[in-house]
Amino acid sequence: GTGADNDLYINQAVVFIEDAIQYRSINHRVDSRSLWLYRWYYSRTCQWILSLTITIILALAFIEKPSSLTVTSDVRYRLPAWNPPCGLTESIELLCFLVFVVDVSVKSYLIGWEEFWKNKWLMAYILTLIVSLTDWVVSLSFFCTENMRIRRILRPFFLLQNSSMMKKTLKSINSTLPEMASVVLLLAVHLSLFTMFAMLLFARTKDGQQDKEWVGYFRNLPDSLTSLLVLLTTANNPDVMIPAYSKNRAYSIFFILFTVLGNLFLMNLLTAIIYNQFRGYLLKSVQSSLFRRRLGIRAAFEVLSSLKDTPANAQQPYVSVGALLQVLQKVEMDSRCKQAILRSLKMCSCDQLSAAQFQKLFEELDKDAIKQHPPSPEYQSHFMQKMQFAFGHPYFGYLGNVVALANIVSICVVLVMDADKQPSERDDFFLGAINCFFILYYMLEMLLKILAMGLKRYLSYPSNRFDGLLTVILLLLEISTFAVYGFPHPGWRPEFMGLLSLWDMVRLVNMLIVFRFLRIIPNMKFMALVVTTLLDLVKNLRAFAGILVVVFYAFAITGIMLFKDAVVPLGNTSSIIFQGKMWFHGSLITFRLRLFTTYLLSVNLICRWAKIYFVAWWLISSVIWVNLFVALLLENFIHKWDRRCHREPVSDVEYQRTVELMFRDVLEEPTEEELMEKLHQHPHLQLCR
Amino acid sequence: GTGADNDLYINQAVVFIEDAIQYRSINHRVDSRSLWLYRWYYSRTCQWILSLTITIILALAFIEKPSSLTVTSDVRYRLPAWNPPCGLTESIELLCFLVFVVDVSVKSYLIGWEEFWKNKWLMAYILTLIVSLTDWVVSLSFFCTENMRIRRILRPFFLLQNSSMMKKTLKSINSTLPEMASVVLLLAVHLSLFTMFAMLLFARTKDGQQDKEWVGYFRNLPDSLTSLLVLLTTANNPDVMIPAYSKNRAYSIFFILFTVLGNLFLMNLLTAIIYNQFRGYLLKSVQSSLFRRRLGIRAAFEVLSSLKDTPANAQQPYVSVGALLQVLQKVEMDSRCKQAILRSLKMCSCDQLSAAQFQKLFEELDKDAIKQHPPSPEYQSHFMQKMQFAFGHPYFGYLGNVVALANIVSICVVLVMDADKQPSERDDFFLGAINCFFILYYMLEMLLKILAMGLKRYLSYPSNRFDGLLTVILLLLEISTFAVYGFPHPGWRPEFMGLLSLWDMVRLVNMLIVFRFLRIIPNMKFMALVVTTLLDLVKNLRAFAGILVVVFYAFAITGIMLFKDAVVPLGNTSSIIFQGKMWFHGSLITFRLRLFTTYLLSVNLICRWAKIYFVAWWLISSVIWVNLFVALLLENFIHKWDRRCHREPVSDVEYQRTVELMFRDVLEEPTEEELMEKLHQHPHLQLCR
């Protein structure tokens, strides 16, 4: 019936607008039931469950068998880790797999059969699930005693496939690979030619005294290759050249040539290539997001314009305001935006909207969220007004900074004086008294500022929130210290009482004071610029960080699987090996960019596999990832720096800028033809015209 | 008289055109005698003498007293260095100073009194000379026994002031300093805050077993600062965190935060800032060169147009072709360009030239030097033609590459097999026989190529010249080997004879073969691109390298002066110190980017001055210079990469591209008004109009 049709159109429009808001693709099924399923799938609860499942399955590695989530990392001292019984982690895993099965089925159904065959990510998802489930069955049938668990290495895939940003970034990295491979090939040629040179240059001589270089670094082909590879990471520079250099200064030419060509030229060439490839990356990704948004809005317009209550108009399609209001009621979106759209709808006071007007209404979505700070309270008394002027003035803030600096300096002085004292000789009176005084000042400052600005206005500045929170914590700590240990007096060295010793309390307070000193950042122009650049970068880096987590996880799991037998906890000679083990576990949770270089030197003894593993690790984590990071930083920073001059700082108004907004004046609006062409290619939506 | 006037105008025009060719400023005196002096000063001989003087005065450091130009650098083994008698180096120095005095007087005279006062470089030059001469007198009056020799530190200034490129670059670097200083300040804040945190975190505890971290790295303020500074260079990562990490894994968070913020963010921010500043540097410098060239040509036109034999023309100034021919005869320029200009003069067959025509004639100077390879010989016999086809074909070159690769592989195999053999067990027969065969093939290849291409055409390709030269050297070496040691046979281990042992001869041959393998570079597209980029970079980097030499020289001399007393050659404990000394001398001639990090660890014991010296050294040589290098590499590479796609490779024609030409399509031609305005500002030239 017409009513049912109208309902369908309204629902389609709602979903399309939600797609536009979330920058999602609109290429999904559009019948009533699918739309319901679609909205359910993308509802906050469902997506939250999915994210939780991914987190849980990734976190399983911390409690699974060869793990070591213990406080100390030293194999000699730590207690045996808790060993979950067979079946516990496995049943959690099964639950996760079931969620993923539901996820993949819903996703496949929603995009439709034809699209499914074109979507390689979905196919890979299904394949991964099949392999994981098979591995799970094998695992259970061996009662968890089998060694290889392929499904663990596959786990990060679930993280990867769930983020469209990460998939896009991966595609981008993929397109840079051929050129990176060329440079890596060049590096390999460089390395092998110089290795041959080195072996000819530092050959064994008849005089045993003379060939220290040969004994130490160039004994045979693998040794020479390793020495020069480590020199490429600069970890054994200048040790590797010292024996030869002692013999004859001219030998240094070889090492200098190698370092200059390899480190200065080839390594930086890699940076240049990656930067060159990623120069347009941010802009392109923002541009495609904009296209998706415009497309969603346009699709909503098209379906609404085919509503039956619209008068047939051959010339131009129109959308009635009533229908739009109906849609807006159902759409889930930021309430500020919704209000703004409704306001402009009222202001326009027309009955029907053309495509351009419709598009224009939703431009509210792209706008900066302008945050107005609440006004200061208005005091009647003359005295209060003077107080307000004095303590609301920026100079009062600067005074606070100076006091904070004085506090830091005083702590520093005490630290220097106490550096070599035995803990039993230490007198906590001086620090205690000083800190007590400073914390009182901080409290006073906070209260006076609240008095001058009013609580609401005070809290609306992030720097004040940071400041206030730390001041309150410091105050609480100080009060509890005095409650437990009494007031400070000369020779104040009470015994240990309660949770923390006095010394620990004082240290904690001092650390918080040092941390609080960061409040000066917004007051220094260049620092503020740097910090905002870094924050922007962190936002843009989420996808990269995700991929890094994927790579780290896969490497850590592989490392654990490969080297778990290398751990022989007792015995002096194996200390290197179990230090190695220690690091593998560490790498589950930490970045360690130069870890490799230490290793290649120590692992030398163990086996070739370890060497290959570490070289791969170094190439991916240190060389490629760091260069990607540098490329993004350059891109972000140069953009920000160029624009710094153009913008006037508006007082009392804060713009909450998103990445999209940073590029706004460079972005191209998609044309009507592009949008319509894309709409006509939609696999499930049949437009009337 | 008119004739003398005309002669003066002709001479002025000659000098202006020479200025244009050399991209020199035209702001110098223009009377007859000054012009003669100017041409004499910029003559090849004079400039060569000046360069030689600078080289000599810089090279003096290698033979002066605390130097050590000995083969070995190890203080324990080396013979005492030659000690020149007092007065020898000093008289050489005096000669150099006299040359500089002449240089500065001529320069000052030529630019004129008024300009002299504006020129800070000239003033500094005179000041440096005065200080140096005073120091020299003091030195002689003490009979060379005084300790401080300030003039040595000032020496690199003479290199600096003689190159306009270096002065320009220095100005550029200077303008980046404020922003670099901001980042360095940020780094300092970062370092000091984290140092305080570290001292609070890793304080001394009552249990002696627990504070390994405190004992090793954070004993007091200077120790903590040093530990974290070295961590910033990543030299002591991960050693510095191991003790704390063994105690509690959570401590790693501190080190990771420090490294990520410091190394990943702040250090790369420095790269970004420097890159951002230098992005337009190359283009700007090329643009100003172009302006100087156009200005010189225009000035020549203006003076020629005021010649008396030109018919007075109120409308537009003209230059007669006869005058231009007279000028061209006198100008010293590339004969190819001169021929081309004369050719186009003949073709135009007009009597008078307008300013535009005049300018256009000299555009020949900007053009690519097109190098046409000479044709192959034409053989009559059918057999010879077939031979020519076969051996002139690129496939024959590829076959040569494959053979060279096979040779490399065979050498590699022998090296691996012989790696652990005692020198006395080694049998040179195998390598000797193989190399003999391969070298014969290389000779045959060379001869056949010459046959096919003709000697001239063969030599016109740089790759063939490289190849041919190495082949001839290899052949000579092989023949001399056979002449001395006879032909190879199994068990070929003759005694030492002649200059080199057989083993050394074989090694030398092998190294040359490895080196010859580089002939494959032009055959691989990406490699060729990279190599040409690097060569371009080297050209553009000359100014930077010069500044680097200046900085290195000053640092090395300061280092020698500061630490010469630290050398105590006998005694075991001082080994660190004299290793240090060894490195100072080394730094006179070598780059050593990470030298610092090793030092800061070992020098710890010596004194604070050493620490400050090394931190400054690290900041300048490693951080700032490397970043400048990266910036230039990025700039060059991205430019080249973008343009790679646009150009079609033309067979048989080679363009000899200069930096100016790389930017040709981006450069802006200066307008007539700009040129005339600049000409009217000339301090010595009065134009008639």
Side-chain angles (χ1 to χ4, degrees):
Chain A
T2 315
D5 264 9
N6 276 2
D7 269 1
L8 175 62
Y9 288 146
I10 295 279
N11 280 335
Q12 284 177 349
V14 167
V15 168
F16 286 147
I17 287 174
E18 282 176 2
D19 286 345
I21 292 167
Q22 306 287 338
Y23 299 115
R24 286 196 298 250
S25 161
I26 60 163
N27 289 345
H28 49 78
R29 288 179 198 263
V30 289
D31 56 292
S32 278
R33 294 186 50 180
S34 304
L35 283 180
W36 177 84
L37 187 64
Y38 188 82
R39 286 194 80 184
W40 173 81
Y41 178 75
Y42 281 109
S43 70
R44 219 165 279 173
T45 327
C46 270
Q47 291 299 308
W48 186 82
I49 289 173
L50 195 57
S51 308
L52 186 73
T53 313
I54 293 171
T55 315
I56 287 174
I57 204 167
L58 287 178
L60 275 183
F62 289 101
I63 58 162
E64 272 172 349
K65 206 178 169 192
S67 162
S68 59
L69 203 66
T70 47
V71 172
T72 171
S73 60
D74 199 324
V75 187
R76 287 166 298 183
Y77 303 124
R78 75 160 183 244
L79 301 168
W82 175 62
N83 217 341
C86 176
L88 180 69
T89 57
E90 281 72 15
S91 41
I92 298 175
E93 252 181 315
L94 186 63
L95 278 179
C96 294
F97 288 144
L98 289 181
V99 173
F100 292 139
V101 168
V102 173
D103 177 47
V104 77
S105 343
V106 172
K107 253 188 189 159
S108 311
Y109 170 75
L110 282 175
I111 68 163
W113 194 243
E114 274 174 44
E115 293 290 301
F116 172 77
W117 288 112
K118 294 181 207 155
N119 195 325
K120 278 175 202 150
W121 279 103
L122 272 183
M123 312 278 272
Y125 196 0
I126 290 175
L127 199 73
T128 311
L129 272 175
I130 292 171
V131 172
S132 298
L133 281 169
T134 318
D135 191 50
W136 184 87
V137 170
V138 170
S139 193
L140 268 204
S141 62
F142 277 96
F143 296 105
C144 322
T145 53
E146 92 293 7
N147 278 324
M148 288 288 286
R149 294 193 178 182
I150 305 164
R151 65 178 188 280
R152 288 199 191 162
I153 304 179
L154 295 178
R155 271 177 201 162
F157 179 83
F158 300 121
L159 176 64
L160 200 62
Q161 66 77 34
N162 194 40
S163 151
S164 63
M165 274 273 273
M166 270 161 76
K167 284 191 269 187
K168 231 191 282 176
T169 308
L170 208 65
K171 213 170 145 192
S172 228
I173 294 176
N174 202 30
S175 70
T176 322
L177 279 184
E179 280 165 8
M180 282 203 254
S182 311
V183 179
V184 171
L185 186 78
L186 265 187
L187 266 179
V189 169
H190 169 76
L191 206 61
S192 50
L193 284 186
F194 268 89
T195 304
M196 290 200 65
F197 255 122
M199 287 185 74
L200 288 165
L201 214 54
F202 307 115
R204 191 170 196 173
T205 50
K206 279 173 191 162
D207 180 6
Q209 283 288 324
Q210 293 282 304
D211 48 30
K212 277 184 207 153
E213 188 76 39
W214 175 80
V215 170
Y217 299 99
F218 298 98
R219 226 189 159 85
N220 49 40
L221 190 69
D223 270 12
S224 312
L225 210 60
T226 309
S227 295
L228 289 181
L229 188 63
V230 176
L231 182 57
L232 207 60
T233 70
T234 71
N236 60 359
N237 178 19
D239 313 340
V240 66
M241 64 181 275
I242 290 287
Y245 186 73
S246 306
K247 201 168 139 198
N248 188 331
R249 283 166 195 271
Y251 281 124
S252 64
I253 296 169
F254 171 83
F255 292 100
I256 291 162
L257 258 183
F258 178 81
T259 310
V260 167
L261 279 177
N263 264 28
L264 224 54
F265 281 90
L266 292 179
M267 283 294 189
N268 287 329
L269 198 66
L270 209 61
T271 312
I273 283 177
I274 293 178
Y275 173 63
N276 198 35
Q277 284 285 322
F278 271 80
R279 255 195 311 166
Y281 164 76
L282 271 185
L283 182 65
K284 221 161 52 185
S285 111
V286 173
Q287 180 77 56
S288 83
S289 295
L290 182 81
F291 188 80
R292 280 189 170 185
R293 176 162 281 181
R294 296 285 180 268
L295 190 66
I297 301 287
R298 182 68 193 215
F301 175 80
E302 292 296 326
V303 292
L304 284 181
S305 73
S306 47
L307 273 179
K308 289 297 173 295
D309 61 345
T310 319
N313 191 324
Q315 237 62 35
Q316 267 195 311
Y318 277 99
V319 164
S320 76
V321 171
L324 179 57
L325 283 175
Q326 238 179 306
V327 169
L328 278 179
Q329 258 182 349
K330 282 190 164 183
V331 168
E332 270 185 35
M333 67 194 285
D334 184 33
S335 67
R336 184 190 58 78
C337 278
K338 203 182 250 183
Q339 293 307 321
I341 292 174
L342 289 174
R343 226 175 5 250
S344 19
L345 254 185
K346 256 178 219 154
M347 290 221 324
C348 118
S349 75
C350 46
D351 209 37
Q352 291 187 325
L353 296 164
S354 70
Q357 282 172 315
F358 193 84
Q359 200 70 266
K360 206 171 160 55
L361 266 183
F362 283 93
E363 267 170 24
E364 193 61 44
L365 291 174
D366 309 333
K367 281 191 189 146
D368 285 328
I370 296 176
K371 194 176 162 194
Q372 189 87 38
H373 293 291
S376 304
E378 279 176 34
Y379 291 109
Q380 299 301 321
S381 117
H382 194 67
F383 172 71
M384 287 302 277
Q385 278 176 7
K386 268 197 173 164
M387 290 276 283
Q388 189 173 25
F389 176 77
F391 300 121
H393 201 276
Y395 283 148
F396 185 61
Y398 300 154
L399 179 68
N401 291 342
V402 171
V403 172
L405 183 66
N407 195 351
I408 294 271
V409 170
S410 71
I411 291 175
C412 205
V413 168
V414 173
L415 275 178
V416 169
M417 291 193 320
D418 282 359
D420 272 323
K421 275 190 196 159
Q422 285 287 342
S424 52
E425 295 166 19
R426 219 183 272 131
D427 186 353
D428 298 326
F429 164 64
F430 189 57
L431 255 186
I434 283 182
N435 282 346
C436 180
F437 162 74
F438 278 113
I439 289 169
L440 277 180
Y441 175 83
Y442 296 154
M443 192 189 63
L444 199 70
E445 190 194 5
M446 187 179 67
L447 291 178
L448 286 175
K449 270 194 176 168
I450 292 176
L451 180 82
M453 302 167 89
L455 190 61
K456 272 192 184 169
R457 189 178 167 82
Y458 179 82
L459 287 179
S460 71
Y461 290 95
S463 62
N464 284 344
R465 285 200 295 271
F466 172 80
D467 200 21
L469 185 71
L470 278 179
T471 307
V472 168
I473 293 174
L474 280 173
L475 211 62
L476 289 178
L477 270 177
E478 203 67 8
I479 290 170
S480 57
T481 306
F482 294 156
V484 177
Y485 296 101
F487 285 97
H489 52 84
W492 191 41
R493 270 201 311 273
E495 287 298 298
F496 181 88
M497 279 187 259
L499 269 173
L500 288 167
S501 73
L502 176 64
W503 171 235
D504 286 333
M505 288 290 255
V506 171
R507 272 163 67 200
L508 192 60
V509 166
N510 287 345
M511 279 189 233
L512 287 174
I513 288 173
V514 173
F515 189 55
R516 185 178 172 278
F517 186 65
L518 291 181
R519 62 172 241 167
I520 61 154
I521 287 176
N523 290 123
M524 292 171 74
K525 211 175 146 194
F526 185 79
M527 262 196 186
L529 178 79
V530 165
V531 170
T532 51
T533 309
L534 295 190
L535 289 181
D536 268 13
L537 198 66
V538 169
K539 271 185 222 155
N540 294 336
L541 267 182
R542 270 178 311 179
F544 281 96
I547 290 175
L548 194 71
V549 167
V550 167
V551 172
F552 265 68
Y553 197 93
F555 258 99
I557 295 281
T558 318
I560 289 175
M561 279 181 15
L562 279 177
F563 304 112
K564 68 177 166 203
D565 300 329
V567 184
V568 190
L570 296 167
N572 213 348
T573 49
S574 64
S575 70
I576 297 160
I577 305 174
F578 66 72
Q579 223 184 43
K581 167 83 175 175
M582 184 175 92
W583 279 91
F584 285 119
H585 292 294
S587 68
L588 268 173
I589 37 161
T590 58
F591 291 46
R592 212 158 303 109
L593 295 172
R594 275 171 50 81
L595 151 134
F596 152 76
T597 49
T598 322
Y599 267 126
L600 209 55
L601 290 166
S602 62
V603 152
N604 228 335
L605 312 153
I606 303 180
C607 67
R608 302 240 160 137
W609 283 108
K611 233 185 238 182
I612 292 169
Y613 174 85
F614 278 115
V615 171
W617 169 246
W618 168 71
L619 262 180
I620 290 175
S621 90
S622 176
V623 176
I624 294 181
W625 197 81
V626 168
N627 277 321
L628 279 174
F629 181 87
V630 171
L632 261 183
L633 192 137
L634 277 173
E635 172 92 5
N636 254 22
F637 184 79
I638 287 173
H639 217 92
K640 196 120 187 177
W641 197 263
D642 283 354
R643 188 155 303 246
R644 181 183 55 146
C645 324
H646 303 312
R647 207 182 313 134
E648 285 291 299
V650 185
S651 62
D652 226 30
V653 171
E654 247 175 58
Y655 288 96
Q656 298 183 321
R657 300 189 70 78
T658 58
V659 200
E660 286 75 31
L661 294 168
M662 199 165 92
F663 287 97
R664 195 201 280 156
D665 35 349
V666 202
L667 287 181
E668 278 175 36
E669 281 287 329
T671 63
E672 169 118 19
E673 287 73 35
E674 283 168 353
L675 288 177
M676 289 311 289
E677 195 198 325
K678 197 79 194 171
L679 271 184
H680 283 293
Q681 283 168 9
H682 195 290
H684 306 289
L685 187 70
Q686 261 73 46
L687 290 180
C688 310
R689 287 164 302 126
Chain B
T2 318
D5 264 13
N6 276 2
D7 267 2
L8 174 63
Y9 289 146
I10 296 279
N11 280 335
Q12 285 178 349
V14 167
V15 169
F16 287 148
I17 288 174
E18 282 176 2
D19 286 345
I21 292 167
Q22 305 287 337
Y23 300 114
R24 285 196 299 251
S25 159
I26 60 163
N27 289 345
H28 48 78
R29 288 179 197 262
V30 290
D31 55 291
S32 277
R33 291 186 52 179
S34 304
L35 284 179
W36 177 85
L37 187 64
Y38 187 82
R39 285 195 81 185
W40 173 81
Y41 177 75
Y42 281 108
S43 70
R44 217 164 282 170
T45 326
C46 272
Q47 290 299 309
W48 186 81
I49 289 173
L50 195 58
S51 310
L52 186 72
T53 313
I54 294 171
T55 316
I56 287 173
I57 203 166
L58 287 178
L60 273 183
F62 288 102
I63 58 161
E64 272 172 348
K65 204 176 168 192
S67 162
S68 60
L69 202 67
T70 47
V71 173
T72 172
S73 60
D74 199 325
V75 187
R76 287 166 299 184
Y77 302 125
R78 74 161 183 243
L79 301 168
W82 176 64
N83 216 343
C86 176
L88 179 69
T89 57
E90 280 73 14
S91 42
I92 299 176
E93 251 180 315
L94 185 65
L95 278 178
C96 293
F97 289 145
L98 289 182
V99 173
F100 292 138
V101 168
V102 173
D103 177 48
V104 77
S105 342
V106 172
K107 254 190 191 160
S108 311
Y109 171 75
L110 283 175
I111 67 163
W113 196 242
E114 275 175 43
E115 294 291 299
F116 171 77
W117 288 113
K118 294 182 208 155
N119 195 324
K120 279 177 201 149
W121 279 103
L122 271 182
M123 312 277 271
Y125 195 179
I126 290 173
L127 200 73
T128 311
L129 271 175
I130 291 170
V131 172
S132 297
L133 280 169
T134 319
D135 192 50
W136 183 86
V137 171
V138 170
S139 191
L140 266 204
S141 61
F142 278 95
F143 296 105
C144 322
T145 53
E146 92 292 4
N147 278 323
M148 286 288 286
R149 295 194 177 181
I150 304 165
R151 64 178 190 278
R152 286 199 192 159
I153 303 178
L154 295 177
R155 272 177 200 161
F157 180 83
F158 300 121
L159 176 65
L160 200 62
Q161 67 77 31
N162 193 42
S163 151
S164 63
M165 275 272 274
M166 269 161 75
K167 285 190 269 187
K168 228 190 285 176
T169 308
L170 207 66
K171 212 171 145 192
S172 232
I173 294 176
N174 201 32
S175 71
T176 322
L177 279 185
E179 280 163 8
M180 280 201 254
S182 312
V183 180
V184 172
L185 186 78
L186 265 188
L187 265 179
V189 170
H190 168 76
L191 206 61
S192 48
L193 285 187
F194 268 90
T195 304
M196 291 199 61
F197 254 124
M199 286 184 75
L200 290 165
L201 212 55
F202 306 116
R204 192 169 194 174
T205 51
K206 281 175 189 161
D207 179 7
Q209 283 288 324
Q210 293 282 302
D211 48 30
K212 275 184 209 153
E213 188 76 39
W214 177 81
V215 171
Y217 300 99
F218 298 98
R219 226 187 159 86
N220 49 39
L221 190 70
D223 270 12
S224 313
L225 211 59
T226 309
S227 295
L228 288 181
L229 188 64
V230 176
L231 182 58
L232 208 60
T233 70
T234 70
N236 62 358
N237 178 17
D239 312 340
V240 67
M241 64 181 274
I242 291 288
Y245 186 74
S246 304
K247 202 168 138 198
N248 188 330
R249 283 167 196 271
Y251 281 124
S252 65
I253 296 169
F254 171 82
F255 293 100
I256 291 161
L257 258 183
F258 178 82
T259 310
V260 167
L261 279 176
N263 265 28
L264 224 54
F265 281 90
L266 293 179
M267 283 295 190
N268 287 328
L269 198 66
L270 210 61
T271 311
I273 282 177
I274 294 178
Y275 172 63
N276 198 34
Q277 284 285 323
F278 272 81
R279 255 195 312 166
Y281 164 76
L282 271 185
L283 182 65
K284 221 163 48 186
S285 109
V286 173
Q287 179 78 55
S288 82
S289 296
L290 182 81
F291 188 80
R292 282 189 168 187
R293 174 162 284 181
R294 296 285 180 268
L295 191 66
I297 301 288
R298 182 68 193 215
F301 175 81
E302 292 295 327
V303 292
L304 285 181
S305 72
S306 48
L307 274 179
K308 291 295 172 297
D309 61 344
T310 319
N313 192 324
Q315 236 62 35
Q316 267 196 311
Y318 279 99
V319 164
S320 77
V321 171
L324 180 57
L325 283 176
Q326 239 178 306
V327 169
L328 279 179
Q329 256 181 350
K330 281 188 163 186
V331 168
E332 268 185 36
M333 65 193 287
D334 184 34
S335 66
R336 185 190 58 76
C337 276
K338 202 181 252 183
Q339 293 306 323
I341 292 175
L342 289 174
R343 233 185 349 258
S344 16
L345 255 184
K346 255 178 220 154
M347 290 224 321
C348 118
S349 75
C350 47
D351 210 35
Q352 292 187 322
L353 297 165
S354 71
Q357 282 172 314
F358 193 84
Q359 200 69 266
K360 206 171 160 57
L361 265 182
F362 283 93
E363 268 174 20
E364 191 63 41
L365 290 174
D366 308 333
K367 281 193 188 145
D368 287 328
I370 295 176
K371 193 174 161 194
Q372 190 84 40
H373 292 291
S376 305
E378 279 178 32
Y379 291 109
Q380 299 299 324
S381 117
H382 195 65
F383 172 71
M384 286 302 278
Q385 279 177 6
K386 267 195 174 165
M387 291 276 282
Q388 190 173 23
F389 175 78
F391 300 121
H393 200 277
Y395 284 147
F396 186 60
Y398 299 153
L399 179 68
N401 291 344
V402 171
V403 172
L405 183 66
N407 195 352
I408 295 270
V409 170
S410 71
I411 291 175
C412 205
V413 167
V414 172
L415 276 179
V416 169
M417 292 194 321
D418 281 0
D420 273 323
K421 273 189 196 162
Q422 286 287 341
S424 52
E425 293 167 19
R426 219 183 270 132
D427 187 354
D428 299 326
F429 165 64
F430 189 58
L431 255 187
I434 281 181
N435 282 348
C436 180
F437 162 75
F438 278 113
I439 290 169
L440 277 179
Y441 175 82
Y442 296 153
M443 190 189 63
L444 200 69
E445 189 193 7
M446 186 178 69
L447 292 178
L448 286 175
K449 270 192 175 168
I450 292 177
L451 181 82
M453 303 166 89
L455 188 62
K456 274 191 182 170
R457 188 177 168 82
Y458 179 82
L459 287 179
S460 71
Y461 290 95
S463 62
N464 283 344
R465 285 201 295 272
F466 172 81
D467 199 22
L469 185 70
L470 278 178
T471 307
V472 169
I473 293 174
L474 280 173
L475 210 63
L476 289 177
L477 271 176
E478 202 67 11
I479 289 169
S480 57
T481 308
F482 294 157
V484 178
Y485 296 102
F487 285 97
H489 52 82
W492 192 41
R493 270 198 315 272
E495 286 298 297
F496 181 85
M497 278 188 261
L499 271 173
L500 289 166
S501 73
L502 177 64
W503 171 234
D504 286 332
M505 289 288 257
V506 171
R507 272 163 69 198
L508 192 61
V509 166
N510 287 344
M511 279 187 232
L512 287 174
I513 287 172
V514 172
F515 189 56
R516 186 179 171 279
F517 186 65
L518 292 181
R519 61 173 243 166
I520 60 154
I521 287 175
N523 292 125
M524 292 170 73
K525 210 174 146 193
F526 184 79
M527 264 198 184
L529 178 79
V530 166
V531 169
T532 52
T533 309
L534 295 190
L535 289 181
D536 268 12
L537 197 67
V538 168
K539 271 184 224 155
N540 295 336
L541 265 183
R542 269 177 313 177
F544 281 97
I547 291 175
L548 194 71
V549 168
V550 168
V551 173
F552 265 70
Y553 197 92
F555 259 100
I557 295 282
T558 318
I560 287 175
M561 279 182 11
L562 280 177
F563 304 113
K564 68 178 166 201
D565 300 328
V567 184
V568 191
L570 296 167
N572 213 348
T573 49
S574 65
S575 70
I576 296 161
I577 306 172
F578 64 72
Q579 224 183 45
K581 168 85 174 168
M582 182 175 94
W583 279 91
F584 285 118
H585 292 294
S587 69
L588 267 172
I589 37 158
T590 58
F591 293 46
R592 213 159 302 110
L593 297 172
R594 276 170 50 81
L595 151 135
F596 152 75
T597 48
T598 321
Y599 267 126
L600 211 53
L601 291 166
S602 62
V603 152
N604 228 335
L605 312 154
I606 304 179
C607 68
R608 300 235 162 141
W609 282 109
K611 233 185 236 181
I612 291 169
Y613 174 86
F614 278 116
V615 170
W617 169 246
W618 167 70
L619 261 181
I620 290 175
S621 88
S622 176
V623 176
I624 294 181
W625 198 81
V626 167
N627 277 322
L628 279 175
F629 181 87
V630 172
L632 261 183
L633 193 137
L634 278 172
E635 172 92 6
N636 254 20
F637 184 78
I638 287 171
H639 216 93
K640 196 119 186 178
W641 196 263
D642 283 353
R643 178 159 312 244
R644 180 184 55 148
C645 325
H646 302 311
R647 206 182 314 134
E648 284 292 298
V650 185
S651 62
D652 227 27
V653 171
E654 248 174 59
Y655 288 96
Q656 299 184 322
R657 299 187 72 78
T658 57
V659 199
E660 286 75 32
L661 294 167
M662 201 167 91
F663 286 98
R664 195 200 281 155
D665 34 349
V666 202
L667 288 180
E668 276 175 35
E669 281 288 329
T671 64
E672 169 118 19
E673 287 72 36
E674 283 168 353
L675 288 177
M676 289 313 287
E677 196 199 325
K678 196 82 194 166
L679 270 185
H680 283 293
Q681 284 168 5
H682 195 289
H684 306 288
L685 188 70
Q686 261 72 46
L687 289 181
C688 308
R689 287 164 302 125

